[in-house]
Amino acid sequence: MSNTTPIYIVGCGYIGKRLARKLLDKQIPVKGLVSSEASLSECGQVDIACEIIDLDHLQQAIDLTNHRLIYLAPPPRAGKKDTRIGNFLNATEACPPEKFVYISTTGVYGNCNGSWIDETMPLNPAADRAFRRVDAEQQVQQYCQRHAIPLIILRVAGIYGPGKLPLARIESGQPIVNQQDSPFTNRIHADDLVNICEQALMKLDLAGTYNVTDGHPSTMYEYFNSVARIMKLPPPPAISLQDAQDQLSEAMLSYMAESRRISNQQLLHDFQLVLQYPTLQAGLTQCAQDES
């Protein structure tokens, strides 16, 4: 990819801003599309050129000719369809990009009862938020097939990094489910995810669907206790799954209902990738240094 090929980033939040800055530092032109004045202001503070679009009511055509695109915008908060990405794809139908990268979630696999899985695992969404992601994946696949453009779908595990740790929750003393009842969860450090997104955009001949995780799953109990220990906070109190039904939020309980261990071997192989933070310990240690 030449340094003059412009990149569109749809959804310039925590990861989008980091990716934009990395590309801009390499003199790669970037334009962000955001949904609010607050996001526009935040991007402006770090010199990322953006404009506001309303994906819920998008009417105007968008010309992506000779651009590459990464779509990070979240789906709507309700329903089983991602109408936002549908509106975006309609707006770009006449002038599609030369490559499309879509950020999905490992939630599309649903509950796997702690089993190890890879990209061949059939999709089995349970929560509405996962159904919305499956719908978006299907829409993007059909769009890219119509236009014969390469597509990479990145199914991303839980993202952690500087400023993206559950410190407030731990400090508030909210309980977590004990080790024996705790589901397996998977994570990726923000810096590694940004690097993967960059490579997905850069390599025009690379296409396919990839799980994005560090390959070292742990239980949710272990995750919260690791964060507390490394950030020198008191460990959160542990409760049974039965008690959790009364004490944890509905959103947290929905995450607790899914357990899976996700392989990243296909990602490491095809991207020829060595992760900067291959373990939670390595990533949290760096977070602690950044905090201090």
Side-chain angles (χ1 to χ4, degrees):
M1 172 178 172
S2 75
N3 278 359
T4 58
T5 306
I7 304 292
Y8 262 108
I9 300 177
V10 184
C12 234
Y14 180 80
I15 294 298
K17 285 197 288 288
R18 281 169 161 72
L19 175 61
R21 278 303 339 155
K22 188 172 187 186
L23 295 171
L24 288 167
D25 288 346
K26 295 181 178 181
Q27 271 65 61
I28 298 170
V30 172
K31 183 170 186 179
L33 299 177
V34 297
S35 61
S36 69
E37 290 286 351
S39 293
L40 189 71
S41 174
E42 288 174 9
C43 289
Q45 290 168 18
V46 287
D47 298 322
I48 301 168
C50 285
E51 77 176 67
I52 294 178
I53 61 167
D54 181 358
L55 290 172
D56 291 316
H57 307 95
L58 189 58
Q59 300 294 331
Q60 76 271 25
I62 300 173
D63 187 349
L64 300 178
T65 308
N66 298 322
H67 285 71
R68 297 185 188 184
L69 175 114
I70 183 165
Y71 190 99
L72 290 141
R77 292 185 178 181
K80 293 188 175 182
K81 302 288 186 183
D82 187 346
T83 52
R84 289 175 179 170
I85 201 165
N87 292 339
F88 181 80
L89 297 177
N90 287 336
T92 62
E93 193 72 50
C95 301
E98 66 177 42
K99 184 168 193 180
F100 202 120
V101 179
Y102 174 66
I103 303 301
S104 186
T105 168
T106 54
V108 296
Y109 297 114
N111 180 30
C112 303
N113 295 311
S115 297
W116 277 100
I117 63 167
D118 61 18
E119 291 84 353
T120 64
M121 182 75 177
L123 303 189
N124 185 32
D128 281 359
R129 64 176 181 275
F131 275 100
R132 294 191 286 272
R133 293 294 188 172
V134 172
D135 177 64
E137 285 190 15
Q138 292 170 346
Q139 290 190 61
V140 176
Q141 286 166 342
Q142 292 163 6
Y143 173 93
C144 290
Q145 286 168 1
R146 279 198 303 277
H147 296 289
I149 56 177
L151 166 66
I152 287 184
I153 293 174
L154 299 177
R155 291 179 179 152
V156 179
I159 303 166
Y160 75 101
K164 202 167 179 64
L165 293 173
L167 301 183
R169 190 183 194 283
I170 293 172
E171 288 169 343
S172 72
Q174 292 182 61
I176 56 170
V177 171
N178 60 32
Q179 170 73 331
Q180 67 192 56
D181 292 332
S182 189
F184 280 101
T185 59
N186 305 265
R187 279 160 299 279
I188 188 72
H189 191 283
D191 290 349
D192 281 320
L193 176 55
V194 167
N195 180 40
I196 291 161
C197 290
E198 179 190 12
Q199 289 195 47
L201 287 163
M202 293 290 194
K203 297 177 179 178
L204 192 59
D205 58 343
L206 191 60
T209 299
Y210 297 95
N211 294 329
V212 179
T213 170
D214 63 19
H216 289 88
S218 62
T219 65
M220 196 176 289
Y221 173 91
E222 290 167 334
Y223 173 63
F224 277 96
N225 276 277
S226 295
V227 173
R229 184 177 66 256
I230 290 177
M231 304 307 285
K232 296 182 169 53
L233 296 172
I239 59 175
S240 69
L241 190 56
Q242 185 174 353
D243 289 340
Q245 304 301 318
D246 300 320
Q247 297 185 45
L248 297 185
S249 69
E250 189 175 333
M252 179 61 84
L253 287 171
S254 74
Y255 285 109
M256 296 293 305
E258 299 181 3
S259 180
R260 51 189 170 260
R261 289 181 282 179
I262 296 176
S263 168
N264 64 357
Q265 291 305 300
Q266 195 68 45
L267 175 82
L268 299 182
H269 178 270
D270 289 9
F271 280 66
Q272 300 179 353
L273 184 66
V274 176
L275 293 174
Q276 191 173 351
Y277 303 106
T279 65
L280 182 62
Q281 177 75 24
L284 289 178
T285 299
Q286 183 60 49
C287 289
Q289 293 174 5
D290 291 340
E291 289 279 339
S292 62

